[in-house]
Amino acid sequence: MNICVFGGGGQQGKFGYDFCERARSQGHAVTVFSHRAQGDNIVVDYTDIKDVVSKFEAVLVKSPVDLVLYNSTASNYANNVEHFGANHEFVPAGWTQTLMVPVIVPHALAIMAQRHMPGTGAMVFMGSSLARSMDRTDFTALAGYAGGKALQTHLMIALAHNSSNKMTFSSIFPYLGQPSYPSVFDKIYNHLLHITPEWNGRIFEVYN
């Protein structure tokens, strides 16, 4: 397979890095887009949509891409308890930045993907169960993170049902903590490498 991964940098033990390493070891071609310079990663500036999309398109036109894994996340506003109290100095631009990585950039990438990827291709978003956990009593201050993942999931559904080239758009809600990480990683890896159109508009949930 020819695979593009956004958020595949980092180190061993991190899902994006581990996914890329295993895929390469099994003979798949993997192109990594990351905000950090590491190995042969393509460095992108997530605050500059044109930079990210143009570099993605440059890869798409070279040879057909089968799978795009969007695994990028970022620090989000508002995500701290003090952001919600009366003494907080509200930062409107913080919310704009919060939307950039989980929603704005992948929307632009999905449009470009439809122009160059085959209808048999897939774009998969690494989401979070927090996106729909409305009755939680922990992690309650993570409005920016959970909200970004929720919007990303709605973006996935919209793309799945309204794309112009019949690509598969799907999401994954994982638990990547220990001690279940090895098992969860294997399940996600196998799912991604064998994803079918039946997963269009659906969420693959794996927690153990």
Side-chain angles (χ1 to χ4, degrees):
M1 293 181 72
N2 191 6
I3 304 170
C4 288
V5 179
F6 288 83
Q11 59 189 356
Q12 186 176 7
K14 296 294 185 180
F15 176 81
Y17 179 89
D18 292 344
F19 174 84
C20 295
E21 288 298 294
R22 180 176 292 185
R24 285 171 174 148
S25 74
Q26 295 185 351
H28 300 287
V30 181
T31 301
V32 176
F33 298 84
S34 176
H35 69 280
R36 62 166 63 91
Q38 181 179 356
D40 59 357
N41 290 357
I42 296 176
V43 179
V44 293
D45 179 359
Y46 283 100
T47 67
D48 184 346
I49 296 175
K50 289 184 177 179
D51 178 69
V52 184
V53 174
S54 64
K55 289 175 178 175
F56 180 46
E57 184 178 24
V59 172
L60 291 174
V61 298
K62 289 181 180 178
S63 60
V65 171
D66 304 295
L67 172 67
V68 176
L69 173 61
Y70 193 81
N71 184 51
S72 293
T73 188
S75 298
N76 304 108
Y77 176 89
N79 264 356
N80 296 316
V81 173
E82 57 267 24
H83 290 162
F84 304 99
N87 294 326
H88 176 56
E89 186 174 343
F90 180 60
V91 184
W95 278 108
T96 302
Q97 186 60 38
T98 285
L99 295 178
M100 184 64 73
V101 173
V103 184
I104 298 173
V105 168
H107 188 182
L109 294 173
I111 292 171
M112 185 57 68
Q114 292 176 67
R115 295 175 183 172
H116 296 285
M117 287 178 64
T120 55
M123 183 171 183
V124 181
F125 302 91
M126 290 295 285
S128 170
S129 60
L130 285 179
R132 63 183 185 193
S133 179
M134 302 304 171
D135 57 351
R136 67 183 186 274
T137 56
D138 52 1
F139 305 112
T140 55
L142 299 184
Y145 175 79
K149 292 297 186 181
L151 283 170
Q152 185 182 88
T153 304
H154 287 289
L155 171 65
M156 178 276 290
I157 292 170
L159 290 164
H161 293 282
N162 299 284
S163 68
S164 56
N165 78 336
K166 306 304 180 184
M167 281 178 59
T168 296
F169 291 93
S170 184
S171 292
I172 297 174
F173 285 6
Y175 174 71
L176 297 173
Q178 296 293 351
S180 59
Y181 176 74
S183 173
V184 170
F185 175 83
D186 286 343
K187 291 173 183 176
I188 297 174
Y189 181 85
N190 291 329
H191 173 74
L192 287 169
L193 269 292
H194 300 92
I195 193 166
T196 62
E198 285 73 20
W199 282 98
N200 189 50
R202 295 172 60 193
I203 300 166
F204 179 65
E205 297 187 68
V206 55
Y207 304 115
N208 53 58

